[in-house]
Amino acid sequence: MIDNSARSEGEVIIESRNAVKHFVIKTGLMNSRTAGVVRAVDDISFTIHEGETFALVGESGCGKSTMANLILKVLDPTSGEVLYRGASLADMSAQDTRNYRRNVQAVLQDPYGALNPRMRVGHIIGEPLEVHGVGRDDREERVTAALQSVGLPPWVQSQFPHEFSGGQRQRIGVARALTLNPDLIVLDEPVSSLDVSIRSQVLNLLKDIQDERGISYILISHDLASVEHMSHTIAVMYLGKLVELGDAELTCSQPQHPYTASLVAAATPPGTTPNWPIPIVGEVPSALETPSGCSFHPRCPYAMPVCSQETPELAPTEDGRMVACHLYPDEIKHIDKQAPVAVA
Ligand code: SF4
């Protein structure tokens, strides 16, 4: 096992070992022709420890949600494997899978679409307990406790979702995920659809719950600014590959990969200058036509001839982080980060 997490405390709870997920795209009459293959997740390895928040960051289409679905066992990998506490998800029996689904929960991005509008809040939160055979009395107690953990009073159980604001609905979604006492929650863009004023409230709530219960989080986001303050480790994905992985604070203050630097620059508040001010240039290329070599090379101001020919490996750097870029370890010393070369 390669333990590349920034956090070494606690047992390894999730390990992705060379996970690959490809989708064959069909076209034509009766889907008779193959249009190409999307490499949504391409040889990804990482570990997540107990009590760790592991952020998966990147633009839309980079593969972060597909990676989350492999961890949630919604999708099976094309090759490679995902392990939970050392056991491969692919080898789990029906009973093991049931236990796994108790222990690993998800909070979805859209607090409006994620809750059934016809069900009362108490039923929504208690439903996972019912599915897993928890008796009525115990259920009521646990629903009230879950509501209390997210700062909502017991009487909201009799209300319907439309009676709440976006932030309150996201709290209800978190309460539903907590009822089964999971040890990992996948948070898929948990605050992106909320007002800016509510975002920090929900993130602080999640952090408090983690401190209290020692839960691990996988935090999926396109926005580095919203994950920085609550993550221990940040993994940056681009077109299905990990391009940088390491300590969250270091990654945000001193990004190593030019793509990470461009995400940091995009998340820097107006009026402040990022350490490495790279504007994001152009669009993410089609996943069906991934550029050769480093797939970021058509957008990278520092691209060299080797970049379009050879795919850089994810390799350790001096401060213990990992980066996949031909600038390391030698070229980076000669780069003037304040003056990126314009892309032709
Ligand atoms: Fe840019 Fe080359 Fe590094 Fe890719 S490998 S990020 S193109 S310098």
Side-chain angles (χ1 to χ4, degrees):
M1 176 179 71
I2 300 170
D3 191 349
N4 48 19
S5 166
R7 186 181 161 100
S8 52
E9 295 158 35
E11 192 185 322
V12 171
I13 186 166
I14 288 286
E15 182 189 354
S16 172
R17 204 179 274 174
N18 305 106
V20 169
K21 183 66 189 177
H22 291 173
F23 296 100
V24 178
I25 306 300
K26 297 281 188 181
T27 186
L29 196 63
M30 311 280 285
N31 285 336
S32 52
R33 280 190 301 118
T34 300
V37 175
V38 171
R39 297 167 198 277
V41 168
D42 203 4
D43 195 12
I44 296 235
S45 297
F46 57 78
T47 51
I48 303 173
H49 289 246
E50 285 174 334
E52 176 175 4
T53 300
F54 184 92
L56 268 175
V57 179
E59 290 166 282
S60 298
C62 71
K64 53 193 190 303
S65 293
T66 304
M67 188 66 236
N69 282 332
L70 294 179
I71 292 168
L72 287 167
K73 214 171 174 328
V74 172
L75 293 172
D76 293 324
T78 308
S79 65
E81 60 183 343
V82 178
L83 300 99
Y84 170 70
R85 297 193 184 277
S88 172
L89 301 193
D91 298 336
M92 282 182 175
S93 64
Q95 184 56 46
D96 289 344
T97 302
R98 207 172 146 78
N99 291 340
Y100 181 68
R101 298 211 189 285
R102 274 182 93 114
N103 291 329
V104 179
Q105 295 288 308
V107 172
L108 304 178
Q109 174 180 5
D110 176 13
Y112 295 89
L115 308 178
N116 186 334
R118 292 190 188 85
M119 281 164 74
R120 292 184 194 275
V121 168
H123 192 182
I124 290 172
I125 298 175
E127 195 183 28
L129 296 167
E130 202 176 332
V131 169
H132 286 272
V134 176
R136 194 186 180 102
D137 290 347
D138 200 11
R139 224 158 55 213
E140 280 174 13
E141 208 173 291
R142 284 166 73 170
V143 168
T144 307
L147 280 170
Q148 199 177 358
S149 340
V150 299
L152 290 174
W155 57 261
V156 305
Q157 291 183 57
S158 58
Q159 312 290 110
F160 286 96
H162 72 266
E163 295 174 72
F164 297 92
S165 66
Q168 287 169 325
R169 287 184 204 211
Q170 201 57 303
R171 283 171 189 260
I172 293 167
V174 174
R176 180 181 156 97
L178 288 175
T179 48
L180 288 165
N181 286 328
D183 45 24
L184 172 70
I185 300 182
V186 176
L187 303 161
D188 190 357
E189 305 266 12
V191 293
S192 62
S193 59
L194 301 180
D195 288 343
V196 178
S197 57
I198 308 292
R199 287 181 185 180
S200 57
Q201 279 180 28
V202 173
L203 291 174
N204 287 337
L205 168 74
L206 290 165
K207 205 163 182 340
D208 290 346
I209 291 170
Q210 182 177 57
D211 292 344
E212 206 176 285
R213 302 185 177 213
I215 299 176
S216 307
Y217 292 136
I218 295 176
L219 181 53
I220 295 169
S221 181
H222 64 278
D223 176 17
L224 262 183
S226 67
V227 303
E228 181 186 358
H229 97 287
M230 71 170 284
S231 304
H232 300 98
T233 307
I234 289 181
V236 181
M237 286 184 76
Y238 188 76
L239 283 178
K241 285 194 174 295
L242 274 188
V243 295
E244 181 159 1
L245 186 151
D247 177 81
E249 214 179 307
L250 272 178
T251 303
C252 292
S253 59
Q254 298 161 42
Q256 297 186 115
H257 194 282
Y259 178 59
T260 314
S262 68
L263 292 180
V264 171
T268 303
T272 43
T273 311
N275 290 344
W276 191 356
I278 300 184
I280 293 189
V281 182
E283 300 283 327
V284 181
S286 163
L288 280 170
E289 289 166 29
T290 313
S292 60
C294 169
S295 53
F296 188 58
H297 84 260
R299 303 173 78 190
C300 179
Y302 302 105
M304 304 168 278
V306 67
C307 299
S308 58
Q309 292 152 14
E310 286 175 29
T311 306
E313 296 292 325
L314 191 69
T317 55
E318 282 170 4
D319 62 9
R321 284 183 282 165
M322 301 194 83
V323 65
C325 174
H326 291 304
L327 290 173
Y328 296 86
D330 301 322
E331 298 291 335
I332 196 70
K333 297 181 183 120
H334 310 297
I335 291 275
D336 176 0
K337 291 181 177 177
Q338 297 304 317
V341 181
V343 178

